[in-house]
Amino acid sequence: MSTRPAGSGPSLPPALEQLVADTLDAADLGGPAAREVGEELRDHLHEALAAGRSIAEIAASFGDPARTGARIARARRPDPDPSSPGSAMTFETLVTELRRAVRTLARAPGFAALVILTLALGVGANTAVFTVLDAVLLQPLPYEEPDRLVQMFSRWGDEPSDVSDYLRAPTIRTVSEWDDLFEGFASIYTYREAGRDLIAPGAPPERVVASIVSAGWFETLGVRPALGRTFHPDESTGPGVSGTDPAPRVALLSHALWQRRFGGDPAVIGRTIDLSDESWEVVGVMPAGYTDPLGPRADLWLPQDLRDGGSNHWGNYYLTGVGRMSDGLTLEALQERFDARWAGLVEANPDAGGSVIEFRSLEGEVVGPQRAAMLWILSAAVALVLLSACVNVANLVFARSLARDREVAVRGALGSGGSRLVAHLLSESVVLAAAGGALGLLIGWVGVGALLRLAPEALPTVAEPQLSGRVFLFSLGTTALAVLAFGLAPALRSARTPAAAALRAGGRGGTEGRGLRRVRDGLVVAQVAVALVLVVGAGLLLRSFDTLLDVPLAIHTDDVVTFEVHLPTRRYADGAARHRLHEALGERIDALPEVEASGATSWLPASGRYHSWGVRWNPDGGEDLPDDGWMSSDMRVVTAGYLDALEVTVVRGQSPAEVDPEGEPMAWVNETLAARVFGDVDPIGQRMFAGEAFRRVMGVVADVPHDVRGALSPKTYLLHDQFADNRNWALTWAVRLRPGSDPAAAVESMRSELAGLDPALVLYRPRSLDGLLATRRAQDRFATTLMGIFAGLALALAVVGTYGVLSGAVARRRREIGIRMALGADPGRVRSMVLRSAAALVATGLILGAAGAWWSGRWMSSLLFEVAPADPAAWAIGVTLLAGLGLLAGWLPARRATRVDPARTLGAE
């Protein structure tokens, strides 16, 4: 019979001591193992006695000592030495541990659901943002050797505003022949969106977007058509004079248009199609998914006429140039060699001067520095959300591990080695992370679509963001990182906790030491800091966006609908015919009962600068035009009712509706131009050169910004009645409806009126003016909305984390609190004790978060509009919100602490 080892714990009744001895005999354990197991068995039996059970009941539930000893012997077989060959966990063991983890988690569905959802939100948000980041910034442009592609710019000065991406046709024609610098060089028309009316028998006319490119465009990009051919050189630079001799009419279709309108018929090659009353031969079809790096997404491509004549002279900047550098040439070397050659060209032909040419990487220009900064900032923000999610889950897992110390101790006492315990505990984290990662991938897939719908104008469309192998690997890596972040440390802590200490803790809770408390408190501090960084960032963007919305645009935007009308030149060959159509359309629209006023313009407000032409005023009244004294002014061609339709104020003089258009050439100038050109001289009645003629200034118009940020520029308004012969102006109508009118019904009425004048015309792109302005603010709205969502998630996680840690602390201190209450402690002091802990955690987090928010605010300053990174309102809101919610999260556990029943707590001890 075995004797009880000395010093192994308090004595048991002889009958129970005999049970322990018989069990140890049956287990046949040696020295230290027998002492450890004996001590653990006695601890169990002491607890049973303390619970009030009789010796007979304990002996009956204990069972046969021989069988119990045999089970202990089997369980105490040592784990293989990790350093020995073949000691790695087998696949079968791994599957067993994972199955056991699933069963264990199934018994705690609330915990499992909370962890999985928290991880899924973090992984899903990161997956969605990474998908967009990968498509826009990380992946190279979908063209052949994109690092060799460059874009050409014109520069007039040292300021950023002195750079333009518009070039002259002779520049494109000249540079495309410099084969030693470029393997290909071509142009694309991006001055404004171009289009044609596609007319087919039996189908309504459809406005399609046309991309006008010079021959060699597709070869420069390294793209080949799916069917047919691209443009030949003589289709851009052939014989004849531009604007006088007809150019070849050939077209390439997009894959989408080919499928939608031609059923994917290969026989479309060589077919003639009707584009705005002109016959064009289809010579090719582009591959599916192809889109130009610059300009809008096109339905078809037409050749750019680069021949001399017409608008193709050294004074007209309207084309965008892209080149492919010769192999082995760097951007710096290209610029140096180009500058030397261009200087010689300007010396031989002074007309080629006037601006300096510079080159930039096409890849950087497609995205743009501000858009790239926005995506990197949002990526950093969403990474902080994932960090906060992992911290929150780590706290939950730590709390669960504390509650399971006794279970882990029993497993250890029954022979499970440390590595096996770590594998068991970590397997639960793997299961949770796998479930969270899978759900996160689904959330990410949904999130990508939501991001694109949120603000499609905020992202370039060269490559469509979509889930791919790279995104899947990113999500997998993120999930694995999450496992290490929240699972490994709690598993190691539980496995290293001495079994005897955990068992002796009994019902008094886990064995959380001072070090672990500091770790868990540190995690809460980190969550509060992360939340403050994101909340302050969201506050700055929200303040910026709110400021942007308050920018006065000097126009009426409520209940205004806009649409474009494009007249085919073949049917409307002269200015008189064009004016008659628009005049008649205006009369019909004004007669509709839901319409208050209407008018048309060549370019709507807040849509950027457009048609910047030179204007000049001679103070002496002469009509000579010396080289000095010119000023650039944006030209706006308008109908008589346009200013009234948008309620643009004429501050002096007559409005366009009050003059006789049959009189002398007239012009209206805005306040900015009046101040810069005329100074103290009253411009009314002065004659200035504008729009290729001297014109009488009839009025001064209030400044209307050319973008949603309120930027102003000189502006000249010309009557369409007098300027329709200049070119076939595409006019955009602005129609102010009566309050309460149905915009959709009004648009259909206007569509019917247009069809009554010419059934082949298309009322194109009807939309509200408010909606159009919203697209101009798309990037700001995109960044603000996402940062707000991320801040909300981080805030919620911080509150939950703070509440969880303090609740756990109160639960573990129930005995202490019960004793304090039994000794007469005031409930208010107990509540204050818990709230002080909460305040200390929140305050430390706010201090650290303030440093991070200050740094991040400076980083995101490029996204802010008239708001400083240290904006007091954004900071006050962020700090107050975090402090208030943090203390609220501490008040609930504090309130629970004062409700501890001392008698029950001490009785349980």
Side-chain angles (χ1 to χ4, degrees):
M1 179 179 293
S2 298
T3 59
R4 174 175 171 263
S8 60
S11 299
L12 287 169
L16 296 182
E17 194 67 53
Q18 188 61 46
L19 280 177
V20 174
D22 292 344
T23 302
L24 293 177
D25 281 341
D28 192 22
L29 299 174
R35 285 193 298 273
E36 183 180 355
V37 173
E39 184 177 352
E40 291 161 0
L41 290 175
R42 290 183 182 89
D43 284 336
H44 281 295
L45 297 176
H46 275 297
E47 289 177 8
L49 288 172
R53 300 176 66 185
S54 67
I55 294 176
E57 289 175 334
I58 295 173
S61 62
F62 191 89
D64 181 10
R67 298 180 64 182
T68 302
R71 287 199 302 270
I72 293 175
R74 288 195 299 270
R76 295 291 294 190
R77 289 174 187 152
D79 289 339
D81 181 1
S83 64
S84 64
S87 64
M89 181 176 288
T90 65
F91 178 76
E92 291 77 8
T93 306
L94 177 61
V95 172
T96 301
E97 290 296 345
L98 291 176
R99 286 176 177 170
R100 181 181 298 166
V102 171
R103 289 195 300 270
T104 303
L105 292 171
R107 293 194 292 271
F111 166 80
L114 183 58
V115 170
I116 290 171
L117 182 59
T118 301
L119 276 179
L121 290 174
V123 173
N126 275 267
T127 298
V129 172
F130 176 79
T131 302
V132 174
L133 183 75
D134 184 53
V136 175
L137 287 179
L138 303 183
Q139 291 274 33
L141 293 177
Y143 310 115
E144 184 179 307
E145 296 184 273
D147 56 312
R148 293 171 56 195
L149 295 174
V150 295
Q151 184 177 349
M152 179 188 282
F153 291 82
S154 302
R155 176 181 285 279
W156 289 274
D158 297 329
E159 298 297 324
S161 58
D162 295 332
V163 178
S164 170
D165 55 355
Y166 295 129
L167 307 169
R168 301 166 286 187
T171 301
I172 304 293
R173 197 170 54 246
T174 300
V175 174
S176 64
E177 297 176 356
W178 292 357
D179 298 338
D180 59 324
L181 298 182
F182 301 98
E183 285 188 8
F185 195 92
S187 70
I188 181 172
Y189 178 84
T190 61
Y191 202 69
R192 70 170 295 166
E193 181 183 287
R196 297 290 188 275
D197 294 340
L198 177 60
I199 303 171
E206 176 188 355
R207 186 72 181 175
V208 293
V209 178
S211 180
I212 304 176
V213 301
S214 65
W217 172 257
F218 302 104
E219 289 73 15
T220 297
L221 297 178
V223 179
R224 297 166 183 77
L227 289 176
R229 64 172 178 86
T230 58
F231 300 134
H232 291 155
D234 60 359
E235 290 166 343
S236 281
T237 57
V241 177
S242 178
T244 302
D245 299 321
R249 291 180 181 157
V250 292
L252 282 85
L253 306 179
S254 70
H255 195 274
L257 183 66
W258 176 53
Q259 292 288 336
R260 177 166 50 84
R261 289 298 298 262
F262 302 97
D265 183 5
V268 73
I269 304 299
R271 186 184 301 178
T272 298
I273 59 175
D274 188 336
L275 297 176
S276 298
D277 283 349
E278 295 177 339
S279 296
W280 294 73
E281 179 189 355
V282 177
V283 297
V285 175
M286 295 307 295
Y290 168 78
T291 186
D292 295 318
L294 304 169
R297 188 179 292 273
D299 296 308
L300 52 81
W301 288 263
L302 309 177
Q304 174 68 52
D305 186 355
L306 293 178
R307 298 174 299 172
D308 281 327
S311 59
N312 292 340
H313 53 80
W314 286 106
N316 189 24
Y317 294 78
Y318 74 105
L319 297 174
T320 301
V322 171
R324 176 177 293 276
M325 295 186 295
S326 295
D327 193 17
L329 202 59
T330 64
L331 190 62
E332 293 75 16
L334 169 67
Q335 188 73 60
E336 182 179 352
R337 293 174 61 179
F338 182 92
D339 289 345
R341 184 171 300 185
W342 188 256
L345 176 68
V346 171
E347 185 177 356
N349 180 11
D351 289 340
S355 63
V356 176
I357 300 297
E358 69 177 45
F359 295 94
R360 300 177 186 173
S361 165
L362 177 63
E363 195 157 15
E365 295 307 311
V366 168
V367 178
Q370 189 176 30
R371 188 182 284 146
M374 175 195 71
L375 288 175
W376 282 118
I377 289 169
L378 291 177
S379 298
V382 78
L384 289 179
V385 171
L386 179 62
L387 173 63
S388 187
C390 288
V391 167
N392 204 55
V393 171
N395 256 327
L396 290 171
V397 174
F398 268 126
R400 178 171 165 79
S401 71
L402 285 172
R404 298 180 64 195
D405 275 351
R406 186 175 180 79
E407 173 197 337
V408 174
V410 171
R411 289 179 178 273
L414 294 177
S416 291
S419 61
R420 188 65 176 267
L421 290 175
V422 170
H424 169 67
L425 295 171
L426 195 57
S427 64
E428 292 186 12
S429 298
V430 170
V431 170
L432 291 171
L439 182 58
L441 198 60
L442 177 61
I443 292 175
W445 177 70
V446 175
V448 170
L451 290 181
L452 297 180
R453 287 190 298 272
L454 174 64
E457 303 86 359
L459 301 172
T461 57
V462 174
E464 193 73 26
Q466 56 186 344
L467 295 183
S468 62
R470 285 163 60 95
V471 174
F472 177 77
L473 290 176
F474 170 82
S475 298
L476 189 63
T478 303
T479 304
L481 196 62
V483 172
L484 295 176
F486 74 77
L488 189 57
L492 291 174
R493 189 209 69 85
S494 294
R496 291 174 179 175
T497 299
L503 291 172
R504 279 195 297 270
R508 296 189 295 272
T511 56
E512 181 182 43
R514 181 176 299 176
L516 180 55
R517 281 199 300 273
R518 288 177 177 173
V519 170
R520 297 192 67 203
D521 289 349
L523 294 177
V524 171
V525 168
Q527 282 188 292
V528 173
V530 166
L532 182 64
V533 170
L534 293 178
V535 170
V536 170
L540 290 173
L541 288 177
L542 186 60
R543 290 264 298 132
S544 173
F545 191 62
D546 187 58
T547 304
L548 187 63
L549 292 177
D550 288 339
V551 170
L553 298 181
I555 57 175
H556 181 93
T557 61
D558 295 337
D559 302 310
V560 174
V561 296
T562 68
F563 60 87
E564 300 173 27
V565 175
H566 300 263
L567 305 180
T569 302
R570 181 179 289 272
R571 290 208 310 277
Y572 298 88
D574 57 66
R578 299 164 196 152
H579 170 62
R580 283 195 301 271
L581 183 283
H582 283 289
E583 185 177 44
L585 178 60
E587 291 173 353
R588 286 181 174 233
I589 290 175
D590 287 339
L592 294 174
E594 60 265 47
V595 173
E596 282 193 341
S598 70
T601 178
S602 58
W603 200 248
L604 284 172
S607 299
R609 301 198 64 179
Y610 179 67
H611 268 124
S612 295
W613 292 359
V615 298
R616 198 185 193 290
W617 171 61
N618 292 331
D620 58 7
E623 295 192 357
D624 57 315
L625 296 172
D627 291 338
D628 62 335
W630 289 88
M631 175 174 290
S632 176
S633 170
D634 293 348
M635 294 293 167
R636 297 292 180 263
V637 180
V638 299
T639 63
Y642 168 72
L643 296 180
D644 180 53
L646 293 186
E647 298 184 352
V648 178
T649 303
V650 178
V651 296
R652 293 204 302 278
Q654 297 174 285
S655 74
E658 296 173 330
V659 302
D660 179 10
E662 299 298 326
E664 64 178 325
M666 293 174 281
W668 285 257
V669 298
N670 70 346
E671 294 171 292
T672 296
L673 189 146
R676 294 185 186 179
V677 172
F678 298 99
D680 296 331
V681 177
D682 185 359
I684 305 300
Q686 299 291 328
R687 297 182 76 246
M688 61 179 286
F689 186 85
E692 303 176 353
F694 278 93
R695 301 176 183 276
R696 183 80 60 189
V697 177
M698 305 302 294
V700 177
V701 179
D703 280 331
V704 177
H706 64 253
D707 66 20
V708 293
R709 281 170 155 70
L712 299 174
S713 56
K715 212 173 264 82
T716 304
Y717 296 88
L718 307 178
L719 275 175
H720 185 255
D721 309 41
Q722 297 186 336
F723 208 53
D725 268 326
N726 174 267
R727 67 191 62 188
N728 188 358
W729 293 95
L731 296 187
T732 301
W733 281 83
V735 181
R736 175 157 47 91
L737 304 178
R738 300 186 188 280
S741 300
D742 181 4
V747 166
E748 289 308 311
S749 298
M750 289 182 275
R751 198 189 306 276
S752 297
E753 296 299 335
L754 180 61
L757 293 171
D758 187 339
L761 292 179
V762 177
L763 189 144
Y764 183 54
R765 197 176 282 156
R767 52 185 169 177
S768 70
L769 183 55
D770 281 330
L772 184 146
L773 294 176
T775 64
R776 310 294 186 227
R777 306 183 184 105
Q779 182 169 305
D780 300 272
R781 185 176 69 253
F782 182 81
T784 302
T785 303
L786 282 191
M787 187 66 84
I789 293 173
F790 299 157
L793 286 174
L795 190 61
L797 291 171
V799 170
V800 171
T802 304
Y803 172 78
V805 166
L806 294 174
S807 293
V810 168
R812 286 186 296 277
R813 298 177 67 182
R814 288 178 68 88
R815 182 172 181 271
E816 173 194 343
I817 293 172
I819 293 174
R820 287 174 179 267
M821 300 286 285
L823 294 176
D826 179 58
R829 296 186 65 181
V830 174
R831 190 182 303 116
S832 298
M833 176 183 67
V834 179
L835 283 175
R836 280 197 301 271
S837 298
L841 295 178
V842 172
T844 306
L846 291 177
I847 293 171
L848 295 177
W854 179 83
W855 180 83
S856 64
R858 294 169 62 87
W859 186 32
M860 62 190 296
S861 60
S862 63
L863 302 185
L864 302 178
F865 174 67
E866 295 188 357
V867 172
D871 180 68
W875 277 80
I877 291 172
V879 172
T880 303
L881 188 62
L882 260 297
L885 290 177
L887 292 177
L888 176 63
W891 180 80
L892 294 174
R895 182 168 173 266
R896 185 182 305 149
T898 60
R899 296 184 175 182
V900 170
D901 184 349
R904 179 176 300 177
T905 302
L906 296 177
E909 292 296 319

